[in-house]
Amino acid sequence: MSEDLNLLGISGSLRRGSYNTSLLETIKTLLPPGMTLEIVTPIAIPIYNGDDEDQTGIPPSALELVGRIRVAHAVVIATPEYNFSIPGGLKNAIDWVSRVKQQPFRHKRVGIVGASGGPIGTARSQYHLRQTLQALEAYVMPRPEVFVSNAQTKFADDGTLTNEATRKVLETWLKHFDSFIRQEGK
Ligand SMILES: Cc1cc2nc3c(=O)[nH]c(=O)nc-3n(C[C@H](O)[C@H](O)[C@H](O)COP(=O)(O)O)c2cc1C
């Protein structure tokens, strides 16, 4: 029997009604047996300031995220795209996390997905996020990719995914992510 896997889902949006949080909630409904997904939003993490770090250390909210990443078998990040790049809140959370000794993204398996109102569904921010995670030596699944474009036409107001084609894309993505996580050498 294969090992049970617990995933951490990080939503890069702080917004209530976020399409990216809804994307993670949808993934949660599609998980294979033996896999769980806890969803967090790095909402309470202050802006990184090296002086604050020197004086008071890494804030508890960032340390809490560090702890959750450490215990997760793998991480799924759902990122919006702000001005063709990673939203500041998400980048800030990653920057704080990177400051701990033995930062938890090192050799962590990560999957990236994203939803946006635009026509290319966060492709640009996902590639910037890959670059940042490369700095942290995370293992990011190369393919398949999930770019949910025109998200306002694919989710109902309550966050339910209404677009069947996108659901199928997520199912396929999850199958690949499942085997990516289980690969040797993790
Ligand atoms: C500051 C800002 C910049 C944005 N820039 C982009 C962009 O570059 N590309 C895009 O597709 N959507 C852009 N959007 C629209 C977002 O895709 C949209 O707000 C989306 O709903 C954000 O994700 P969320 O629903 O998870 O919060 C931008 C939104 C904001 C607030």
Side-chain angles (χ1 to χ4, degrees):
M1 224 171 79
S2 52
E3 182 194 5
D4 282 358
L5 297 176
N6 65 300
L7 310 188
L8 179 70
I10 301 175
S11 173
S13 174
L14 312 185
R15 187 173 86 79
R16 276 192 310 277
S18 153
Y19 296 123
N20 286 281
T21 306
S22 296
L23 197 55
L24 290 173
E25 294 286 359
T26 306
I27 288 172
K28 198 168 175 172
T29 67
L30 302 173
L31 296 174
M35 194 183 269
T36 59
L37 176 69
E38 179 198 16
I39 300 171
V40 296
T41 299
I43 205 155
I45 302 182
I47 302 278
Y48 178 81
N49 179 330
D51 294 336
D52 293 342
E53 185 183 13
D54 289 344
Q55 282 157 27
T56 52
I58 297 168
S61 51
L63 289 175
E64 191 189 324
L65 182 60
V66 167
R68 286 178 196 268
I69 296 169
R70 273 200 211 295
V71 299
H73 286 103
V75 175
V76 182
I77 302 179
T79 184
E81 179 170 285
Y82 282 1
N83 297 311
F84 295 6
S85 192
I86 309 169
L90 175 60
K91 180 64 164 55
N92 181 59
I94 294 171
D95 290 341
W96 269 120
V97 161
S98 74
R99 299 296 294 165
V100 300
K101 283 208 180 77
Q102 295 172 330
Q103 60 83 10
F105 276 114
R106 185 163 190 269
H107 297 178
K108 185 69 68 178
R109 290 191 187 244
V110 178
I112 300 177
V113 297
S116 79
I120 58 171
T122 74
R124 293 164 293 219
S125 67
Q126 288 195 31
Y127 273 82
H128 289 180
L129 182 55
R130 280 178 188 277
Q131 183 176 318
T132 294
L133 292 169
Q134 176 86 358
L136 302 186
E137 299 177 79
Y139 296 141
V140 183
M141 182 166 76
R143 284 171 73 176
E145 298 171 301
V146 175
F147 303 127
V148 181
S149 59
N150 304 310
Q152 65 284 358
T153 67
K154 293 174 179 161
F155 290 92
D157 288 347
D158 67 357
T160 308
L161 179 72
T162 52
N163 185 278
E164 257 328 286
T166 302
R167 189 180 308 279
K168 289 211 160 49
V169 165
L170 291 174
E171 281 168 1
T172 303
W173 181 87
L174 254 177
K175 277 194 193 116
H176 282 83
F177 195 53
D178 189 16
S179 48
F180 176 74
I181 296 167
R182 294 179 193 278
Q183 278 167 17
E184 291 300 313
K186 61 192 170 188

